Amino acid sequence: MALMSVADLQQLISTRIGEKMTLPETETAAVAQAAGRVLAADILSPIHVPEADVSAMDGYALPCAASCGDTFEIVGESAAGQPFSDGLAAGQCVRIMTGAVVPGGCAAVVMQENAALGADGRLRVLQDTPAACNIRFAGEEIRSGMTVLHKGRILRHADVMLLAALGLGRVPVYRRLRVAVLSTGNELTEAGEPLAAPGRIYDSNRPMLMSRLRDFPVETVDLKCVRDNLDDVIRVLDEAAQNHDVVMTSGGVSVGDYDYMREAVLRLGAIHHYKVAMKPGKPFVFGQMFRTWYFGLPGNPVSGFAGFDVFVKAALWQLCGACDIPQPLRFQAALTAPVAKSAGRLEMQRAVIARQADGSWTAAPCGAQDSHRILGASRANAYMILPPQAVSLNIGDQVEVQPFGSSFL
Ligand code: AMP
Ligand code: MG
C-alpha cells in the first residue's frame, strides 16, 4: 500500500464513513446537558422571539414619535412580567423597563437618559424619538416555525441559551457511540504497578486516548492491554467488534516482528489504508471489522496523540452524526528558533505559541521532535504544521500553527 498524503487519507476516511455509516439511534437530552451532543432533528421555534412587542430600554413608552421638547403625562408603568393593561390616550405616556411589553397604541420608547421629569410631574423628551425607536417587535428575531438549528449540529453553549429561550426542556440527540480503547504490547505496565523488568514501560497511550475521548459524545470502554500474540489480538478484537461502534488501538501497527494488529484486522474485516506521509505517525490504520470502525494508532505516544488530532477527531464527529465538523484553527506564527526538517512528509511538530504585544504570534519549538518525546508534547500548546515540501526553517520564518484546543480560552 502506497504512502498517502494527509489530506488524501482524511478524505478517504470521511468518504468511506459517509458511504457506509448508519446514523446512531436518537434519544433526548436535557437542554442544560446537551452541549457537545449532536442534534438528531431540526429544531423549529415553537414561539415568536420576542413573543410580544417589548422595550429595548428603560425609559418611557410614547403614543407617537416625539420631538425634542414634547411633553407627556405619565399614567402608569409597564415592567418586565407586569404589563400596563389600560389604553393610552394622546399626550400620555407610560414608564417602561427593558423587556416589558410595550402597551397597545404605543409607537416609540424614549430611553430615560433622553428624557426628564419636570417640576409639574410631566415627562419632557430631550431628544427626537422616531417611530419604532427602542421597540423590539414580536417575532423580529425569530418567527414561530423558523428552523433555528439543523440536524447534525454539535450543540454549543450558545445553542443551549437559544433552546432554553424557546422554552424547550429536552432535545433529540444521537445516542453516545460506544468506543473501545485497547493497548497492545508485552512491555506495557499498568499505572501503580512496579516496572517488573528492564524495558517495561507504563501505558501512556490508553489513558491519553480515553482522556481525549472525554471531548466527544461517546461512552468510552477500557479494554486494557493485550499481549503481542496474534491469537490473543484476534480474540480481543473480535469480541470488541461485537458490541462497540468504534475500536481504537495503540501500538502494533508497524512492520516489527510483533506488530499483529493489521493481520488481525484483516482476518476480521478490512483495512482501508495504513500508511500516511506524516511525522510523527506514519503507520495509521483505518479499517472496519463487521459494522465496527477501526482506528489503529501507532505505539509511540506522540504519534498517537497527533494521529488522533489529524484523523480520528473528524471521523468521530462524523460517526456521531455531526454535519458541521469542526475545522482546526490555524494561523501564522514567527519561529523563535530554527527548525530541522527534510522534504517528504508533513510534520506536526510541537511548539509553545505566544501572542505578542503587536498582536502577532511567535512559535518556540519544543526541543527534540522524536515521536516518543512526551515531555515536549506536554509543554507544547500547539502544533506547527510543516508541509511535506518544507525543509529546515530559520528564526523569524513564518510557520502555520494549530493550537491545542485545551490550551486556549
Ligand atoms: P509499536 O507501535 O507497538 O511498535 O510501539 C512503538 C513504540 O511505542 C515502542 O517503543 C513501544 O514501547 C511504545 N508504546 C507502544 N504502546 C505504548 C503505550 N500504550 N504507551 C506508551 N508507549 C507505548
Ligand atoms: Mg508494540
Side-chain angles (χ1 to χ4, degrees), residues 54-60 77-80 95-101 112:
V54 294
S55 178
M57 292 287 172
D58 292 323
Y60 297 87
E77 177 185 279
S78 178
R95 171 81 175 126
I96 194 165
M97 309 324 153
T98 305
V101 172
Q112 69 189 42

Side-chain angles (χ1 to χ4, degrees), residues 22 33 61 68 98 107 144 149 169 174 184 193-194 240 260 262 279 318 338 345 358 362 387 407:
T22 47
Q33 262 76 55
C68 181
T98 305
S144 172
L149 290 171
Y174 294 116
T184 72
E193 288 175 13
Y260 292 122
R262 279 195 279 133
K279 190 176 172 184
Q318 192 179 357
R345 289 192 267 165
D358 67 357
T362 55
S407 304

Side-chain angles (χ1 to χ4, degrees), residues 184-187 228 250-253 258-259 299:
T184 72
N186 292 334
E187 72 281 30
D228 293 319
S250 99
V253 289
Y258 297 93
D259 290 333

Side-chain angles (χ1 to χ4, degrees), residues 220-239:
T220 303
V221 181
D222 183 356
L223 294 187
K224 310 285 182 196
C225 180
V226 62
R227 302 287 140 199
D228 293 319
N229 169 301
L230 182 60
D231 291 340
D232 286 349
V233 171
I234 290 176
R235 182 179 46 76
V236 173
L237 284 186
D238 191 1
E239 214 174 289

Side-chain angles (χ1 to χ4, degrees), residues 183-184 187-188 201-205 250-254 259 298-301:
S183 297
T184 72
E187 72 281 30
L188 298 183
I201 59 166
Y202 288 112
D203 182 348
S204 51
N205 292 348
S250 99
V253 289
S254 8
D259 290 333
N300 269 310

